[in-house]
Amino acid sequence: MSLYDKFLFPPPQSIFMTFMSIFSLVISTNGGLSEINGANVQYSKFRDATGSRQIKESKFSTRICMLTMYTPSFVASIVSFFWLFPSHDTRFILVNSALTLHFLKRIFEVLFVHRYSGKMALNITIMISLSYCIPTMAIIYNQHLLESVPDPQIDLKFIGVVVFLMGIVGNFYHHYILSKLREKSDTGYKIPKGGLFGLVICPHYLFEILAFVGISVISQSFYPILYTVGTGFYLTGRSCATRKWYDSKFPSFPKNVKCLVPFVF
């Protein structure tokens, strides 16, 4: 038995999953490079940034747009669990539950944690929503295809649960810190402090990547790993762009604060 077989399921014999594996990695990597080069997707602090992809379209409340981004993925995971793929093994339940919890947390944050200002373009909202929903369905479908395949020799799914929970808790904690930077009537940005913000500018991205690492470890299959690598590339690019943005807006921004990984990058 090869080292691969000890840790991972064989890729399912599916043209769709092969396409999604290549597509997710290429699109996410290209998105990360675009962020580094200044072609930022226009939401959050980059919605009016010079050099960003300019959008001439109707705009709506940011809170409504954020709900539109996350709700389809949450609904898709629920529908998959109860109706599309009603027969489950433990690993499928854990993967689906992790995705459901991830997007439920996002919806909760949109409704009760984050404080928004400004508006978002509709086509950006739809694009991001699809970038979440389609891979979510692909991860679930991938796990469904593997239910009849024998597990890898080394079972890591419960280690993956621990890693996922560390990621989702860390992500929520740093989102909470960001939400407390603004008063209700405040629409400006401030230098975040607390948690890992003294070490990296985007610890919430770091923990989001960790959450998807956890899902990949639970699944122990090829597509979630590639999706996580692609997500890592994109969020690395976004964190680099965020670091540059803070440098441009705050001349006193600490030079020792890294982009994503404490003391490293």
Side-chain angles (χ1 to χ4, degrees), residues 37-142:
N37 293 327
N40 311 110
V41 178
Q42 286 187 303
Y43 70 97
S44 185
K45 58 182 62 64
F46 296 104
R47 62 178 177 268
D48 300 312
T50 302
S52 295
R53 301 168 190 172
Q54 296 300 312
I55 305 298
K56 294 181 179 179
E57 186 168 315
S58 299
K59 295 188 176 183
F60 300 88
S61 160
T62 299
R63 194 178 304 276
I64 296 299
C65 289
M66 288 292 181
L67 282 174
T68 303
M69 286 182 193
Y70 302 135
T71 302
S73 298
F74 173 72
V75 172
S77 62
I78 293 293
V79 169
S80 297
F81 189 84
F82 288 104
W83 288 284
L84 289 183
F85 310 120
S87 177
H88 318 301
D89 62 12
T90 301
R91 197 181 301 271
F92 181 96
I93 292 172
L94 291 174
V95 168
N96 196 298
S97 297
L99 290 168
T100 303
L101 181 59
H102 172 71
F103 289 106
L104 179 62
K105 179 191 76 73
R106 288 292 190 88
I107 292 170
F108 176 85
E109 289 171 340
V110 170
L111 292 174
F112 303 110
V113 177
H114 293 310
R115 294 177 179 174
Y116 298 107
S117 61
K119 296 184 178 182
M120 283 186 63
L122 178 61
N123 63 342
I124 287 293
T125 301
I126 294 172
M127 179 189 74
I128 297 174
S129 181
L130 290 173
S131 75
Y132 290 142
C133 190
I134 295 174
T136 296
M137 288 297 298
I139 291 173
I140 293 170
Y141 179 59
N142 172 79

Side-chain angles (χ1 to χ4, degrees), residues 63-230:
R63 194 178 304 276
I64 296 299
C65 289
M66 288 292 181
L67 282 174
T68 303
M69 286 182 193
Y70 302 135
T71 302
S73 298
F74 173 72
V75 172
S77 62
I78 293 293
V79 169
S80 297
F81 189 84
F82 288 104
W83 288 284
L84 289 183
F85 310 120
S87 177
H88 318 301
D89 62 12
T90 301
R91 197 181 301 271
F92 181 96
I93 292 172
L94 291 174
V95 168
N96 196 298
S97 297
L99 290 168
T100 303
L101 181 59
H102 172 71
F103 289 106
L104 179 62
K105 179 191 76 73
R106 288 292 190 88
I107 292 170
F108 176 85
E109 289 171 340
V110 170
L111 292 174
F112 303 110
V113 177
H114 293 310
R115 294 177 179 174
Y116 298 107
S117 61
K119 296 184 178 182
M120 283 186 63
L122 178 61
N123 63 342
I124 287 293
T125 301
I126 294 172
M127 179 189 74
I128 297 174
S129 181
L130 290 173
S131 75
Y132 290 142
C133 190
I134 295 174
T136 296
M137 288 297 298
I139 291 173
I140 293 170
Y141 179 59
N142 172 79
Q143 206 60 48
H144 168 70
L145 293 176
L146 296 173
E147 285 190 282
S148 59
V149 179
D151 282 1
Q153 183 179 3
I154 299 174
D155 190 348
L156 301 175
K157 61 178 175 286
F158 294 112
I159 294 175
V161 170
V162 174
V163 175
F164 168 76
L165 291 175
M166 289 172 57
I168 200 170
V169 170
N171 179 261
F172 176 82
Y173 174 64
H174 289 92
H175 279 168
Y176 178 78
I177 291 175
L178 287 174
S179 74
K180 292 302 178 184
L181 293 176
R182 287 180 175 178
E183 302 297 333
K184 288 187 177 181
S185 59
D186 192 358
T187 60
Y189 285 91
K190 301 175 184 177
I191 298 176
K193 298 178 181 179
L196 294 184
F197 280 111
L199 299 176
V200 293
I201 194 57
C202 293
H204 48 307
Y205 289 169
L206 175 63
F207 282 103
E208 181 167 354
I209 294 170
L210 187 63
F212 277 100
V213 169
I215 292 173
S216 298
V217 175
I218 296 170
S219 177
Q220 291 185 242
S221 60
F222 198 55
Y223 175 68
I225 292 172
L226 282 184
Y227 178 74
T228 299
V229 170

